[in-house]
Amino acid sequence: MTVTLINQTYTFDEYLAMEELATEKHEYKSGEIISMTGGTTDHNKIALNFAANLKFALKKQNYNIFIGDVKLWIPAYSEATYPDVMLIEDEPNYYGTGKTTITNPSLIVEVLSKSTQNYDQGEKFYYYRSIPEFKEYILISQYQYYVMQFNKTNQGKWILSEYRNDNSALSLQTVKFDISFEEIYENVNLG
C-alpha cells in the first residue's frame, strides 16, 4: 500500500529534484509524491535472480537491464514508478539530462506483494501499456510458484500465459531467454 507523502502537488521536475535528496523512494502520480513501502528479502531475491540470469544470458548483446533504483516516466499519465526489472533494447531514452529516469522499456518485471499486487496487475499495467516500446510484462508471486506473462501481439492485443508449479519454466518473447522456476525462486523458502 502506498501513502501520500505531502498534501501538495508538484511538477515532475520538482519531484525529481526532491527524489535526488530523499533517503527513501517515492512514486509520482499526477503531481502527488507517494511514499513507497519497503520490500521483503524474498521480493529482493526474486527480482535479483531474474535480473542476474537475464543479464548473464544477454551478455555482450545490445540490451540494457535495470533493477529497482531506476525510475520509469510514463508521460501519458504523468506517472513515475520504480519497476523491479526493466529491459531496454539498444540505448535507454532518458527523461531530461540526468540518468535516473528512463522512458522506453520493452520488458518490465514486477514481483508481487500483498500490498501492491492489485495495483501491479491493474492500474499500473494500464499505465505501462501507453509506452510504445513496451511489449512484455512479467508478474511473479513471492508467496507461491506462480508467474503471469503478458505479451503484446502485432495487432496490439495482450495475451496472458500463466505458470503455476515448481517445475515450470518461462520463455520470454521480447528476447531469447528461458528461466526455470528453480532459478527464479533460488534461495526463496515458499514453505
Side-chain angles (χ1 to χ4, degrees), residues 11-79:
T11 67
F12 186 61
D13 288 327
E14 288 172 328
Y15 157 76
L16 289 176
M18 292 171 66
E19 197 70 354
E20 286 293 318
L21 303 173
T23 56
E24 58 186 37
K25 293 192 285 189
H26 305 87
E27 291 186 340
Y28 180 85
K29 293 179 175 281
S30 301
E32 291 184 20
I33 297 175
I34 310 294
S35 180
M36 293 180 62
T37 58
T40 66
T41 54
D42 285 343
H43 182 284
N44 190 270
K45 287 177 187 178
I46 292 166
L48 184 58
N49 288 344
F50 196 97
N53 280 283
L54 183 60
K55 177 73 175 166
F56 183 75
L58 299 178
K59 185 171 51 176
K60 297 184 181 179
Q61 295 183 47
N62 198 18
Y63 295 100
N64 284 279
I65 299 163
F66 299 104
I67 55 173
D69 287 334
V70 174
K71 288 181 284 302
L72 171 61
W73 172 237
I74 309 165
Y77 294 99
S78 192
E79 302 278 331

Side-chain angles (χ1 to χ4, degrees), residues 157-174:
K157 295 180 180 181
W158 287 87
I159 306 296
L160 167 65
S161 300
E162 295 178 283
Y163 307 89
R164 294 186 179 270
N165 60 51
D166 61 347
N167 62 358
S168 294
L170 176 66
S171 294
L172 295 185
Q173 303 297 311
T174 310

Side-chain angles (χ1 to χ4, degrees), residues 12-13 16 73 93-103:
F12 186 61
D13 288 327
L16 289 176
W73 172 237
N93 292 338
Y94 291 103
Y95 174 86
T97 58
K99 290 193 171 189
T100 62
T101 309
I102 61 100
T103 63

Side-chain angles (χ1 to χ4, degrees), residues 45-176:
K45 287 177 187 178
I46 292 166
L48 184 58
N49 288 344
F50 196 97
N53 280 283
L54 183 60
K55 177 73 175 166
F56 183 75
L58 299 178
K59 185 171 51 176
K60 297 184 181 179
Q61 295 183 47
N62 198 18
Y63 295 100
N64 284 279
I65 299 163
F66 299 104
I67 55 173
D69 287 334
V70 174
K71 288 181 284 302
L72 171 61
W73 172 237
I74 309 165
Y77 294 99
S78 192
E79 302 278 331
T81 67
Y82 285 90
D84 292 321
V85 180
M86 291 185 284
L87 172 81
I88 296 172
E89 297 178 42
D90 299 319
E91 293 302 314
N93 292 338
Y94 291 103
Y95 174 86
T97 58
K99 290 193 171 189
T100 62
T101 309
I102 61 100
T103 63
N104 63 323
S106 56
L107 166 74
I108 297 174
V109 178
E110 296 282 12
V111 179
L112 300 175
S113 66
K114 289 179 178 149
S115 64
T116 65
Q117 65 186 9
N118 290 337
Y119 176 54
D120 288 344
Q121 293 175 62
E123 191 175 10
K124 190 187 278 188
F125 184 32
Y126 177 74
Y127 298 149
Y128 287 165
R129 291 193 310 261
S130 71
I131 299 166
E133 297 86 354
F134 181 53
K135 300 179 211 164
E136 188 163 17
Y137 191 38
I138 306 297
L139 297 165
I140 304 172
S141 172
Q142 65 176 304
Y143 308 108
Q144 60 182 325
Y145 294 110
Y146 181 59
V147 172
M148 289 180 276
Q149 176 183 31
F150 293 90
N151 292 103
K152 185 177 181 180
T153 68
N154 291 335
Q155 295 76 33
K157 295 180 180 181
W158 287 87
I159 306 296
L160 167 65
S161 300
E162 295 178 283
Y163 307 89
R164 294 186 179 270
N165 60 51
D166 61 347
N167 62 358
S168 294
L170 176 66
S171 294
L172 295 185
Q173 303 297 311
T174 310
V175 293
K176 186 173 174 21

